Amino acid sequence: PTVLLVLGVLEIHVDQEMIGKISAAVKLMQCSASLDVLFLLDGSYSIGKGSFERSKHFAGKLCDALDIHPDRVRVGMIQFSSTPHLEFPLDSYLTKQEVKERIKRTLFRGGSTETGRALKYVLRKGFPGGRNSSVPEVLIVISDGKSQGSTAMPAMQVKERHITVFAVGIKFPRWEELHVLASEPPEQHLLFAGDAEDAANGLYSALTGSVCSATAPGCKVESHPCERRTLETVKELAGNYVCWKGSKQPNAVQPSLCPFIRWKRVLVKYPSRCFRTVCPDPCDSQPCQNGGTCVPEGLDRYQCLCLVGYGGDFHCAAKLSLECSVDLLFLLDSSAGVTLEGFLRYKAFLKRFLQAVMGQDWPMNVGVAQYDDDVRIPIELGQHKDTLSLMKSIDALNFSGGRTLTGRALQHIAEHGFRSTSVFADMQDNLPHVVVLLTDSKSQDSVAEAPQHMKDQNLFLIGVGSSFMRAELTKVTGNPQQTVVYSDPQDLFNRIPELQRRICSVDNAEGCQAQSLDLAFAVDASSGVGPENFLRLRHFVRSSCSHFTINRDVTQIALVIYGSKAHTAFALAVHASNSAVLQAIDQVPFLGDSASAGSALLHIYGDVMTVQKGARPGVNKVVVLLTNGGGLEDAAAPAQQLRHNGILVFVVVVGDTQRDTLLRVAGSPSYLVHISSYEDLQYYQGFIIERICEEAKSPVNLCKPNPCMNQGVCILGPGSYRCECHGWEGPHCESRILRGDSPRSPVLPPHSHVQWSPRGLQHFSRAFWHTKR
C-alpha cells in the first residue's frame, strides 16, 4: 500500500525525577554569548489562531534561555504567511521582559504557507537590526512544515551563509520538510513546541559548546531516546467486489472481481534521539532522613515531607516535643561490658533527644547518672535550666569501665535519685518520676528485685538496649511495654519517638488514657496480600496490642482474619491479658483465597461486637480494617452499618487503591490511613493508636450497639438504659421464660435502669461470663 506522510508529533518519554532536573536546568540556562536570534513564525491559516498562540508562548519560553542585552543576545521576529512581515527588528527591545511582552502582542495574520518566500526574505534583507554577521546568527523557524512551495533551495542557501537554523514543529508538523530546514545534525536542531520547557532545554543544549558558553557547574548535556510519532494516511485493500467489464465478443459483458480501496490514518513511531541539559537538583544528595520525601524548590532549596512521628527539624529528625511534664533521670551504663564506643553512642543519643525536647517552655527536670561498680549522679535533677549548659555537662561525662552491677545501680537510684530538691522555685515538685536505663551489657548481679524497688518509690522505669538485651530489660522493668530495643547502632536513634511515647505514658499507662475500649482487628489474609505480607500485618497487630492494657475492665481485643469468608481468631472476652493475646496472634494462619472485606465487616457486626461475644455496653468500639485494597467493593454498606450502630471503622490500606472506594468504606478521610508499602507500616503505628485513643474518649450511646439479646429493645434513659424483653427475661433478655413455670427472679427488676461506668463494667463482664460458663 502507498503511504503518504500527513501529520507528525514528537513524543518524549521522561519520568518525574527527570522533569525536575530539566526544570532545574531551565532555571540555570542563560546563553550569554554575543548572538543574533531571529524568530520566523508561521502565521498561515494551516496553523490557525490557536496554534499561533502556542507558537508565541513557545518563542517566549525560548527567550528564557537567552541573556537578552544589546551587547549579548539580540532578538527579532518575522511573521510569515502569504508574505513575510517584520514584527520587530533585533535592535528594538533591550531586555528579556520587553521582548516577551512584544511577542505576546503579536497578531495572527493568516494566509497561505510560503516558507520558501520567507527564507528568501531573510537572504535578501539579512537579520534586520542585527550586527552584520559579525556575531553568530540563529534562525528559529516555528512552523507545521506544510509549505505551498519548495523550501529546499532557499534552506540550503541560508545554511551556506553560516546561519544556524532550528526547525520547531508546531501543531502536527510535516517532519520531512522540517528536516530540510534544520541545520546538521538534524537531531540537535529539530524541536517540538508541544513541550515548551523541554524544547527550550534542547535549544540551549544544541547551542552549548558551540555558540554559548559551557553549562553551569554540575550540569551536563546528554542524549536520550525519544520518538517521532507520525500520523500517516495508508491506502489499504478492504476487499473485492463484483464489477462488469467489456468483452471482445459483441453485445457481451464479463463479470470480474475489482479491488475496493480505502484510506486510513495510523500512528507510526520512529525511534530518534534528542538532546537536553540536565542539572543536579538539591534532592540528589538525599537530605531527608527517616523515610522523608525530598521536594525541590528552585535550584538550591528543597522541602522534606516527613512521615508521621518525624519532623523535629527540616530534615525529618524525630519529632520530640514532649507533651508531658516529668522528672526525668537517665541512668547510663558505663561498665566495661558496654565498651567506650557504646558509652559514647549513648551520650550522643542522650544529647540528640534532649536538644529536641528542651524548648523555651522546659516541661521537666533532667538529671543524668552513670554506673559500673558504683553509682554516680554527676548531673543532679534540676541542676541545669538551659540546653547549652546541660550539653556541656553531658560532654564532660567520662567512661569508667568497671563491672556491670545494674541491680545495685537501680536500687541506689530508687532510694537516692530523686532526693535532691529543685534549685528553681518555679519548678513543679509533684511531677511523675521517670528513670531511663541505657545499657547494652548483661548485669553481673541480680535484677529480680528492681521492679519492686521502683514500685516502692513510685518510680516509672523504662529500659533501652539492643535486641540482645530484650529479655533482661523486660525482667528489669517488669513490663515489655516499658522496654525500647534497637536492632543496630544506627537504629538506636530511630527509637527516639518510641522513647518519647514511653516517657509520656507514665500518667496513662493503661491503654488509651485508662479509657475502656472494645477493639477488633480485621486482617486481610487473602492471596492478594500473600503469606510474607500477611506476616507483616500480623506483626503490626501484635505490636499494636502491646500498647494497650488488656483485661476485662480496660481494653478487650478481638481478631478476625478473612479471605472470601471471615474467621474469628479470638473474640473480645476470650483473652484477659497481654501475654495471652500476643500468644494467640502468633497462631493465626494465612488463608490464601480471594478477599471480601465486606464479609469480614458483616461478621464483626453480627458475631464479634455483640453482648453475647463479650462486647460491653457503654464502652467505645473500634474496628481496624487492614487490607491491600482488594475486595473492598462490597465493604461500604457493612461499614456504614457498623458506624450507624456506634462502632467506628478505621481503614488502613497498603498499596495503590482508588481513593473514592476507600472513602466510601472509611466514611471520612479522618478514618482512612493510606500507606505506600508494608515496610512503612511501622511508621504509622503510633499515629493509628493515637487516633484510636482519641475516639475512645468520645461520648457513648448506651444503646448502640444494642446490648439487649434475643430481639430485646433497648430504651435509653438519662445515663442508663433498660431492655424490654419478649419471651425472655433478665437485664439483657438473656434467659428464656419457660411455659408453665413462674418467671424466675431476674438479677434486676424488669424495668429497672442499668447504669454503667467504664470502671463499673467489670460487674457486667464477669457476671455475664460466669453465668455463660
Side-chain angles (χ1 to χ4, degrees):
T2 303
V3 177
L4 300 176
L5 179 64
V6 177
L7 306 173
V9 64
L10 185 70
E11 185 176 85
I12 298 171
H13 295 281
V14 57
D15 59 24
Q16 196 62 39
E17 181 182 357
M18 185 56 68
I19 288 172
K21 293 183 183 300
I22 291 170
S23 298
V26 167
K27 293 180 178 70
L28 287 172
M29 294 185 309
Q30 282 289 310
C31 185
S32 297
S34 292
L35 185 67
D36 283 351
V37 176
L38 181 63
F39 286 107
L40 202 57
L41 253 67
D42 187 343
S44 65
Y45 288 129
S46 68
I47 285 285
K49 193 172 187 309
S51 292
F52 182 74
E53 292 299 318
R54 283 192 287 275
S55 298
K56 287 161 51 179
H57 171 73
F58 177 71
K61 274 289 185 184
L62 293 188
C63 288
D64 288 335
L66 305 172
D67 185 11
I68 298 174
H69 186 276
D71 299 329
R72 293 186 287 275
V73 181
R74 295 185 183 182
V75 173
M77 189 168 77
I78 294 172
Q79 182 183 171
F80 72 93
S81 51
S82 304
T83 58
H85 175 80
L86 177 64
E87 294 291 346
F88 59 92
L90 283 86
D91 56 359
S92 294
Y93 301 103
L94 308 179
T95 67
K96 183 182 299 187
Q97 192 59 37
E98 289 176 349
V99 170
K100 292 178 72 173
E101 286 296 328
R102 177 60 182 82
I103 290 173
K104 284 182 182 178
R105 295 198 306 269
T106 303
L107 300 177
F108 175 65
R109 295 181 176 274
S112 58
T113 314
E114 299 290 347
T115 312
R117 182 177 292 181
L119 294 174
K120 290 175 184 176
Y121 178 90
V122 173
L123 287 169
R124 187 172 67 254
K125 299 282 188 179
F127 276 39
R131 283 163 279 192
N132 300 320
S133 304
S134 61
V135 299
E137 296 176 324
V138 174
L139 182 67
I140 302 176
V141 184
I142 305 178
S143 171
D144 62 359
K146 300 174 185 175
S147 178
Q148 256 73 51
S150 173
T151 59
M153 182 58 70
M156 183 181 69
Q157 291 172 337
V158 166
K159 286 180 274 191
E160 285 175 350
R161 292 263 189 101
H162 304 291
I163 297 173
T164 302
V165 182
F166 285 89
V168 181
I170 191 73
K171 199 176 180 181
F172 294 106
R174 185 177 290 153
W175 289 104
E176 76 274 22
E177 183 172 313
L178 296 178
H179 264 274
V180 172
L181 295 176
S183 294
E184 295 289 334
E187 291 81 7
Q188 289 191 19
H189 295 88
L190 271 176
L191 305 173
F192 177 54
D195 190 336
E197 200 161 83
D198 198 69
N201 190 311
L203 169 71
Y204 177 82
S205 302
L207 294 175
T208 297
S210 57
V211 179
C212 302
S213 56
T215 59
C219 302
K220 60 182 179 181
V221 177
E222 62 178 32
S223 69
H224 63 98
C226 55
E227 289 178 342
R228 285 196 177 85
R229 295 198 313 168
T230 305
L231 188 61
E232 298 178 345
T233 301
V234 177
K235 184 174 72 173
E236 67 175 18
L237 179 66
N240 294 295
Y241 65 98
V242 176
C243 60
W244 301 95
K245 293 185 177 180
S247 173
K248 292 180 180 179
Q249 300 176 6
N251 302 319
V253 293
Q254 178 181 346
S256 177
L257 290 176
C258 299
F260 172 62
I261 303 297
R262 70 180 175 192
W263 296 88
K264 181 182 178 183
R265 286 186 173 184
V266 294
L267 273 174
V268 181
K269 295 182 179 181
Y270 296 98
S272 183
R273 295 204 70 79
C274 300
F275 294 82
R276 62 181 167 220
T277 298
V278 177
C279 297
D281 64 49
C283 289
D284 284 350
S285 60
Q286 299 181 333
C288 303
Q289 305 166 7
N290 300 308
T293 302
C294 183
V295 179
E297 295 180 343
L299 304 179
D300 53 3
R301 297 191 312 148
Y302 58 89
Q303 177 186 356
C304 291
L305 302 180
C306 305
L307 295 171
V308 176
Y310 298 90
D313 66 7
F314 188 76
H315 297 103
C316 299
K319 191 183 292 182
L320 298 174
S321 56
L322 285 180
E323 297 177 356
C324 58
S325 296
V326 294
D327 282 344
L328 184 60
L329 181 64
F330 288 90
L331 179 59
L332 271 65
D333 185 345
S334 181
S335 67
V338 81
T339 72
L340 174 60
E341 181 185 3
F343 179 73
L344 294 176
R345 186 183 307 123
Y346 281 141
K347 278 176 59 174
F349 171 81
L350 180 55
K351 287 175 63 178
R352 189 178 297 185
F353 181 89
L354 292 173
Q355 280 171 332
V357 301
M358 295 168 68
Q360 291 182 347
D361 299 323
W362 195 350
M364 57 188 176
N365 299 320
V366 176
V368 181
Q370 61 183 109
Y371 75 96
D372 47 12
D373 295 272
D374 299 314
V375 185
R376 298 167 297 286
I377 307 180
I379 303 174
E380 299 278 355
L381 275 171
Q383 181 177 335
H384 297 284
K385 195 172 183 180
D386 65 284
T387 309
L388 184 62
S389 62
L390 179 58
M391 295 304 117
K392 286 182 178 178
S393 295
I394 293 173
D395 284 333
L397 299 178
N398 293 316
F399 178 66
S400 49
R403 291 180 298 163
T404 311
L405 302 183
T406 307
R408 179 180 173 183
L410 288 171
Q411 182 177 356
H412 179 89
I413 291 299
E415 295 172 356
H416 306 287
F418 294 87
R419 292 291 174 86
S420 61
T421 57
S422 172
V423 296
F424 301 107
D426 58 346
M427 288 289 185
Q428 301 179 47
D429 58 2
N430 58 348
L431 297 177
H433 294 170
V434 179
V435 179
V436 178
L437 170 66
L438 293 162
T439 180
D440 200 27
S441 176
K442 290 287 182 71
S443 178
Q444 293 172 262
D445 64 345
S446 173
V447 295
E449 300 299 318
Q452 191 58 46
H453 289 314
M454 293 290 144
K455 191 173 182 179
D456 291 344
Q457 299 297 326
N458 198 25
L459 304 182
F460 186 71
L461 175 63
I462 299 170
V464 179
S466 67
S467 50
F468 162 75
M469 292 292 295
R470 185 189 299 271
E472 181 162 307
L473 289 175
T474 302
K475 191 174 181 181
V476 166
T477 61
N479 186 344
Q481 295 183 57
Q482 291 171 223
T483 62
V484 177
V485 296
Y486 56 91
S487 56
D488 56 63
Q490 184 53 45
D491 187 46
L492 168 63
F493 296 91
N494 296 333
R495 301 297 102 199
I496 289 178
E498 187 178 351
L499 176 58
Q500 173 204 7
R501 289 195 299 273
R502 294 284 190 268
I503 291 171
C504 283
S505 69
V506 59
D507 283 329
N508 41 56
E510 291 189 343
C512 299
Q513 290 76 48
Q515 296 291 314
S516 297
L517 179 68
D518 284 345
L519 174 61
F521 289 94
V523 181
D524 188 343
S526 67
S527 55
V529 170
E532 184 177 346
N533 290 329
F534 172 74
L535 291 179
R536 290 192 174 102
L537 292 178
R538 198 175 73 177
H539 175 75
F540 175 80
V541 174
R542 191 183 196 281
S543 178
S544 299
C545 289
S546 67
H547 288 268
F548 298 91
T549 297
I550 298 171
N551 59 48
R552 298 277 192 263
D553 303 325
V554 185
T555 302
Q556 291 189 149
I557 291 182
L559 176 59
V560 170
I561 57 171
Y562 71 92
S564 57
K565 295 181 179 179
H567 306 270
T568 302
F570 51 85
L572 286 169
V574 171
H575 300 301
S577 68
N578 285 68
S579 59
V581 166
L582 299 182
Q583 188 173 355
I585 291 171
D586 290 338
Q587 308 304 316
V588 175
F590 174 67
L591 299 177
D593 54 357
S594 60
S596 171
S599 65
L601 295 179
L602 278 175
H603 178 79
I604 289 173
Y605 174 78
D607 205 47
V608 175
M609 288 294 187
T610 64
V611 169
Q612 294 94 322
K613 298 294 182 179
R616 296 165 294 176
V619 173
N620 278 290
K621 292 168 176 57
V622 176
V623 175
V624 178
L625 176 66
L626 291 163
T627 174
N628 73 337
L632 287 175
E633 300 80 11
D634 60 348
Q640 180 57 37
Q641 194 172 5
L642 284 165
R643 284 192 292 271
H644 179 72
N645 281 273
I647 303 168
L648 188 69
V649 179
F650 273 102
V651 180
V652 180
V653 180
V654 184
D656 295 327
T657 308
Q658 290 282 343
R659 185 168 175 82
D660 56 347
T661 303
L662 301 175
L663 283 174
R664 281 197 298 271
V665 180
S668 163
S670 301
Y671 306 118
L672 173 63
V673 181
H674 204 162
I675 303 172
S676 58
S677 68
Y678 289 92
E679 290 77 10
D680 290 341
L681 262 174
Q682 57 178 321
Y683 301 119
Y684 288 83
Q685 179 177 280
F687 170 74
I688 293 168
I689 291 172
E690 284 175 18
R691 290 288 292 112
I692 292 171
C693 291
E694 285 173 17
E695 295 301 326
K697 299 177 184 177
S698 59
V700 181
N701 184 332
L702 294 173
C703 284
K704 285 191 175 185
N706 186 4
C708 308
M709 294 180 267
N710 302 308
Q711 286 76 51
V713 179
C714 180
I715 299 175
L716 198 61
S720 64
Y721 69 90
R722 65 183 176 85
C723 291
E724 265 192 9
C725 310
H726 303 282
W728 298 79
E729 62 182 356
H732 298 94
C733 309
E734 68 274 13
S735 303
R736 182 185 291 276
I737 299 175
L738 301 176
R739 289 187 179 180
D741 292 348
S742 57
R744 285 174 287 177
S745 299
V747 179
L748 294 174
H751 295 293
S752 66
H753 290 271
V754 185
Q755 295 187 330
W756 303 105
S757 67
R759 285 294 183 188
L761 288 163
Q762 58 187 354
H763 303 298
F764 166 80
S765 184
R766 291 170 181 164
F768 178 72
W769 283 99
H770 179 74
T771 305
K772 291 280 282 185
R773 291 192 183 102

